[in-house]
Each structure stands twice: as structure tokens, then as C-alpha cells.
Amino acid sequence: TTTTTTTTTSSESDDDDKSTTTTVATPSHQHLTRVYWTTEAFAGEYDIPQCSPGTPPEQCVHAITSRFQVKDATWADMTHNAGIHLIYAGPHCHAPTCLSMELYNADTGELLCHVEPNHATSGDLYYETGFLAIPPCLWGSQDEGLLEPPFLAPNTTLLSIKRNNSTLPHTGEMASWQMRAVVVPSLMNKDEAGSTTTTTTTSVPEAVHNNNE
């Protein structure tokens, strides 16, 4: 697609107005910035303690949680930006005990991403027994069959929940979110006095109690 802008200028000495037309092509791609967070409080790895003896395996679930703000996880200066549009959210955890990872907008209670790893059961290449395949959450255009990217302001609080099976103890587990987003700039408006104010184009929902922990 293209955007066409026509500018018309005139003066008292000119009999005719002068028009200048500029055509600018709309970019086909947008730059993605990194958004990264570790549920294990930047420990890198952590240990899964074994559940009490005699507990049924389906009830042996160990969970950790982390609350953080978008601006603290985004690898871009959010000081003068309105927020981000989340495009990709890929959780990272290890076989064989990883059960699920969830990401919530803690201010609204909205579930942004829920992923359960696929446990490989064959000896096929890249699907070897004992390994996990972890699909990401994706957002984009409706033409591609994707949901619209959620807008998250810099001060939006996110909640990460990671669950593991704890039938047996497990060391070296991870619970990170490897994400990508499009930075949404603020609109800079100057008033008649020359001062500058910042406004955003997207409203943030009012906070509601989150019952998902």
C-alpha cells in the first residue's frame, strides 16, 4: 500500500497555486523488540522439590509465579512510548517435568497465553522420545487467521505461572518467556505556548481482581 500527500502553496505574487504531491510506500514489515522475563526471578535455573511420599502423580504439581511490569521486561526505552503490541510469546521449560506456562494481564485478569508442551513419543527426527516441543502464542492480522495483538502499556502488570510435575525431584528447570513486540510510540502534541504533552492512542482497562493464582 502507499500513502499520497498533496501540499498546496500560494502567494500574493503568484497567479496560480503550486501543488506538490509526495507518494510514500507503507512498510511491509515492522521492527520487533525483545521482551524477556524469567519466572524464576532471574535465577536462570531452579530446582523442583519432590512432593510428599504417597501423593498420586497427577496431584504432584509444583508451581512458581512472578509479577512484573511491561517496561521492566521490554528491551527498548519505554519512557516516551505508549506501550507495545505483543506479537510472539514463547515459553521456555525443560523435559520431562514441564506441565504448562501461562501469562496473564494481572490488571484485567485476561489470559494472554497458555502453553502445554507436546511430549514426543517417537524416534522421529526432531520428535525424539523424552523431548518436548513447545508451541508459542502468536498474534497478527485476521487475514492470517491470527488474533489481534494485545496492547500493553509500560506500567501494565503481567503474571507468569509455571507448573511442573514433582513426582520426582528435578534440577536445572527453567521458566522464561522469550517474547517479541512492536513498540507503540506516543503522540507528541505541542500547544500554542510551545510546551509538549504526551498522549496515547490506546486506553488501558480498569484494574480488576485477578483470581488466577
Side-chain angles (χ1 to χ4, degrees), residues 6-205:
T6 301
T7 303
T8 302
T9 60
S10 63
S11 65
E12 295 180 355
S13 60
D14 294 334
D15 295 332
D16 299 322
D17 294 338
K18 296 180 180 180
S19 299
T20 301
T21 301
T22 303
T23 301
V24 179
T26 302
S28 61
H29 294 71
Q30 297 185 69
H31 176 73
L32 295 178
T33 191
R34 189 178 188 187
V35 183
Y36 181 77
W37 193 259
T38 61
T39 312
E40 63 273 26
F42 289 96
E45 296 181 344
Y46 70 104
D47 296 341
I48 307 297
Q50 185 174 15
C51 63
S52 301
T55 304
E58 63 274 12
Q59 296 181 16
C60 286
V61 178
H62 178 266
I64 63 173
T65 64
S66 176
R67 289 177 181 266
F68 58 98
Q69 290 191 323
V70 169
K71 62 184 178 182
D72 297 324
T74 303
W75 289 33
D77 185 1
M78 300 303 295
T79 305
H80 300 297
N81 289 310
I84 60 172
H85 278 136
L86 192 59
I87 302 297
Y88 169 94
H92 178 80
C93 60
H94 293 173
T97 67
C98 181
L99 295 176
S100 66
M101 286 187 66
E102 295 172 338
L103 186 68
Y104 287 88
N105 181 332
D107 296 334
T108 65
E110 177 188 5
L111 175 62
L112 298 173
C113 181
H114 171 89
V115 172
E116 296 181 11
N118 297 320
H119 292 257
T121 56
S122 73
D124 296 339
L125 184 64
Y126 303 123
Y127 202 68
E128 294 89 347
T129 301
F131 285 81
L132 298 178
I134 309 174
C137 291
L138 298 173
W139 296 266
S141 67
Q142 294 183 349
D143 293 340
E144 298 174 311
L146 299 174
L147 294 176
E148 182 179 351
F151 172 80
L152 302 171
N155 61 348
T156 299
T157 300
L158 301 179
L159 169 66
S160 173
I161 303 177
K162 164 69 184 308
R163 295 182 176 89
N164 279 76
N165 181 276
S166 57
T167 302
L168 297 174
H170 181 56
T171 60
E173 183 54 80
M174 299 184 73
S176 60
W177 286 98
Q178 302 177 15
M179 300 178 279
R180 298 294 186 273
V182 174
V183 174
V184 180
S186 299
L187 297 178
M188 306 299 292
N189 296 325
K190 294 184 178 181
D191 58 24
E192 295 180 356
S195 61
T196 301
T197 58
T198 302
T199 60
T200 63
T201 57
T202 307
S203 60
V204 180

